[in-house]
Amino acid sequence: MAIKIIMLVLFFGVMIAVGIICRKKTTDVNGFVLGGRSVGPWLTAFAYGTSYFSAVIFIGYAGQFGWKYGIASTWIGLGNALIGSLMPWFILGRRTRVMSQHLDSATMPEFFGKRYDSNALKIAASFIVFIFLIPYTASLYNGLSRLFNMAFDIPYEICIIAMAVLTGIYVIAGGYMATAINDFIQGIIMLFGIVAVIIAVLNSHGGLFESLKELSQVASTSADGPVGEGTGIFNSFLGPDPLNLLGVVILTSLGTWGLPQMVQKFYAIKSEKQIKKGAIVSTAFAIVVAGGSYFLGGFARISGLTADSVKSLGYDAVIPEMLSSLPEILLGLVVILVLSASMSTLSSLVIASSSTLTIDFIKGNIVKKMDDKKQVLFIRILIVIFILISAVIALVQYKSNITFIAQLMGVSWGALAGAFLAPFMYGLYWKKVTKPAVWCSFIFGAGVMLLNMFLRQYFPAFLQSPINCGAFVMIAGLIIVPVVSLFTKKPDAAKVEAIFSCYDKTAVVKKSQDLGDETEEVTLKNE
């Protein structure tokens, strides 16, 4: 116990120290929200990955989908790595960095406002972010309770308060740069933690091949889905339900393309040349963390839990049960792993929410004139408020067993990405996107997911699942935006050309020769 407590104290001490050290870089909005647009590829890649994979993934999704789909749930992690990490870096990363700097936009709603020349779009986008990100932050505390009780016998209320206070301290003090550095440290912990846990769990069943053999003998029942009864389905290539598995892959992978807290990472990277390196690091991180989490969850059926116990305890009990037999020191590492995953995502979400509300809603609408210092002050105040709200919601949910917030967390990915993905991506590449098309995407994405939450029973059977519905609205948005754009009034050609001129600028750079130390000046087109 003493060693585990020392591990926790060291972890929290390092997080706070980084926040204090990075305080110098938070004197203006650019420094506080984007780290001065000077964050290197490793820090950006880890910030992207740790914001992507929270405790919700490790405890909730890995347990839920591992139980449902068996070892085939590993496809979700691989989809997260290739579709959710590698592709957005190459497709969105460079153009986002160039155009966001050209438009002087620090948030996604501000990008929409300037790209489509509409203050109303900016306000609408900030409202959507506020509605769907705040409850999402509350869900990050889920899954910590059982682990902390198991490892430290500490009440869940204390876990929530400690996590909220400590995250708030380093984010308020050091802003985005402190978050990025801490994300890197937390990411290293996650990498080693996932590998150590997988090895320990599999060894407890005799190794990988013995675990797969044991899993192959687990029989599915008619209660598990349309596959009916039988053995061997949970260690098969595509699992018992490939169609719904595909829906999970699309939602959790394609969703990152339209999430403000994810896309904002591309705003802050130091230079365009760092994109390729960042893409490789981010993808490797996702393969280990996401792939490892879902791979571990795939062995849930041999954890000792029964279908009845999972039904009564919930899917959040699956992973803790798998870890309950680990050595004490390794269990302490798991707790720090889950804390790292939760705190890194929480810090990213509160910066995205507070900066969006300050820059895109309060500034110019409620407070007409705001200099940099006042904006940073408002952002810091809102960070405190948002963390406090999330902690209160998490406590209320825990005390009253309300599942509404947990459901809203699942809906939030679909609503945010369904509303933002298409107009953001097309806005980077296509000059003919119109304001009505963006409005249609906003209304359809957020509206359908809200209806799904309140009137789910009236949806077609396949779309009653928030995951499948979220995947549907994302793909639908990619069709709606170009179709509506073709039949609505074209944007002002001169303004659009001025925006896209950022891709046509030339820059003089030095290029080292293959042989010798000479350098030559080369003019490159910014394409």
Side-chain angles (χ1 to χ4, degrees), residues 470-498:
F472 166 73
V473 296
M474 283 183 230
I475 295 172
L478 294 172
I479 299 170
I480 289 170
V481 169
V483 170
V484 174
S485 293
L486 291 175
F487 293 98
T488 50
K489 183 182 177 182
K490 306 305 176 197
D492 185 293
K495 290 182 178 179
V496 173
E497 288 298 331

Side-chain angles (χ1 to χ4, degrees), residues 297-475:
F299 293 95
R301 295 272 177 168
I302 61 173
S303 64
L305 285 169
T306 64
D308 289 337
S309 61
V310 170
K311 187 176 181 179
S312 62
L313 296 174
Y315 290 113
D316 286 352
V318 173
I319 295 296
E321 177 63 28
M322 295 179 73
L323 305 178
S324 60
S325 60
L326 294 179
E328 290 294 314
I329 298 300
L330 193 53
L331 190 57
L333 177 63
V334 171
V335 171
I336 294 178
L337 183 161
V338 175
L339 263 177
S340 297
S342 298
M343 290 175 69
S344 58
T345 307
L346 178 62
S347 61
S348 177
L349 290 175
V350 295
I351 283 184
S353 301
S354 59
S355 60
T356 291
L357 198 59
T358 300
I359 296 169
D360 305 321
F361 186 72
I362 297 175
K363 178 186 174 184
N365 296 303
I366 297 175
V367 180
K368 296 300 180 183
K369 292 185 179 180
M370 292 182 72
D371 58 22
D372 263 11
K373 287 187 178 179
K374 188 176 286 186
Q375 288 180 62
V376 171
L377 176 62
F378 264 84
I379 291 171
R380 283 184 163 131
I381 292 171
L382 286 172
I383 286 172
V384 174
I385 293 172
F386 289 162
I387 289 179
L388 181 63
I389 291 172
S390 69
V392 169
I393 293 174
L395 286 169
V396 170
Q397 181 188 2
Y398 176 70
K399 291 288 187 181
S400 58
N401 280 327
I402 296 173
T403 59
F404 177 78
I405 302 301
Q407 293 172 357
L408 188 57
M409 177 266 154
V411 171
S412 70
W413 270 60
L416 288 164
F420 296 154
L421 189 159
F424 183 79
M425 185 178 71
Y426 286 127
L428 295 173
Y429 282 90
W430 194 32
K431 298 177 182 179
K432 296 182 180 180
V433 181
T434 64
K435 290 180 194 176
V438 180
W439 278 114
C440 286
S441 182
F442 283 9
I443 294 168
F444 183 82
V448 169
M449 293 310 297
L450 280 174
L451 289 173
N452 178 267
M453 184 169 60
F454 294 112
L455 302 171
R456 187 168 299 157
Q457 66 273 23
Y458 298 107
F459 278 62
F462 181 70
L463 295 181
Q464 287 183 8
S465 161
I467 291 171
N468 292 338
C469 192
F472 166 73
V473 296
M474 283 183 230
I475 295 172

Side-chain angles (χ1 to χ4, degrees), residues 56-371:
V56 177
I57 300 292
F58 183 69
I59 298 295
Y61 281 11
Q64 177 180 348
F65 300 128
W67 182 269
K68 285 185 175 181
Y69 306 125
I71 205 69
S73 64
T74 307
W75 284 112
I76 305 171
L78 295 178
N80 293 171
L82 299 177
I83 303 171
S85 295
L86 182 67
M87 290 176 65
W89 273 82
F90 282 115
I91 295 173
L92 303 180
R94 187 189 175 285
R95 283 185 169 251
T96 299
R97 176 65 176 81
V98 173
M99 187 176 282
S100 65
Q101 185 170 15
H102 178 66
L103 295 176
D104 192 26
S105 61
T107 66
M108 184 179 271
E110 190 174 27
F111 173 88
F112 286 130
K114 292 182 176 180
R115 167 64 182 85
Y116 298 110
D117 191 27
S118 172
N119 191 57
L121 278 176
K122 182 178 77 169
I123 294 173
S126 65
F127 187 70
I128 293 171
V129 170
F130 176 76
I131 291 295
F132 290 102
L133 276 193
I134 295 303
Y136 181 17
T137 61
S139 69
L140 298 176
Y141 301 95
N142 293 343
L144 286 174
S145 57
R146 288 187 178 90
L147 286 177
F148 262 85
N149 285 330
M150 188 193 307
F152 297 98
D153 196 25
I154 297 176
Y156 183 46
E157 296 86 346
I158 295 177
C159 302
I160 291 175
I161 294 169
M163 178 177 154
V165 170
L166 292 165
T167 304
I169 289 173
Y170 79 74
V171 175
I172 292 167
Y176 181 83
M177 185 58 78
T179 300
I181 294 173
N182 278 333
D183 285 350
F184 181 78
I185 297 169
Q186 292 160 349
I188 296 294
I189 294 171
M190 291 167 69
L191 286 172
F192 282 101
I194 288 289
V195 173
V197 167
I198 290 173
I199 292 172
V201 170
L202 293 183
N203 282 342
S204 69
H205 291 274
L208 173 61
F209 295 110
E210 284 299 317
S211 298
L212 287 171
K213 183 179 178 181
E214 188 177 346
L215 188 63
S216 71
Q217 296 167 356
V218 176
S220 63
T221 67
S222 57
D224 290 317
V227 292
E229 299 182 1
T231 58
I233 196 68
F234 293 113
N235 73 335
S236 63
F237 187 68
L238 294 176
D241 193 359
L243 187 59
N244 279 302
L245 176 62
L246 179 63
V248 179
V249 172
I250 293 173
L251 177 76
T252 60
S253 301
L254 194 60
T256 61
W257 297 44
L259 295 178
Q261 73 272 22
M262 303 300 296
V263 172
Q264 200 164 351
K265 301 296 184 290
F266 300 137
Y267 288 39
I269 198 165
K270 187 174 183 179
S271 69
E272 300 170 39
K273 291 185 177 181
Q274 310 296 333
I275 301 271
K276 184 177 181 180
K277 188 183 292 184
I280 295 169
V281 174
S282 179
T283 304
F285 181 88
I287 289 173
V288 175
V289 174
S293 295
Y294 287 110
F295 178 74
L296 175 67
F299 293 95
R301 295 272 177 168
I302 61 173
S303 64
L305 285 169
T306 64
D308 289 337
S309 61
V310 170
K311 187 176 181 179
S312 62
L313 296 174
Y315 290 113
D316 286 352
V318 173
I319 295 296
E321 177 63 28
M322 295 179 73
L323 305 178
S324 60
S325 60
L326 294 179
E328 290 294 314
I329 298 300
L330 193 53
L331 190 57
L333 177 63
V334 171
V335 171
I336 294 178
L337 183 161
V338 175
L339 263 177
S340 297
S342 298
M343 290 175 69
S344 58
T345 307
L346 178 62
S347 61
S348 177
L349 290 175
V350 295
I351 283 184
S353 301
S354 59
S355 60
T356 291
L357 198 59
T358 300
I359 296 169
D360 305 321
F361 186 72
I362 297 175
K363 178 186 174 184
N365 296 303
I366 297 175
V367 180
K368 296 300 180 183
K369 292 185 179 180
M370 292 182 72
D371 58 22

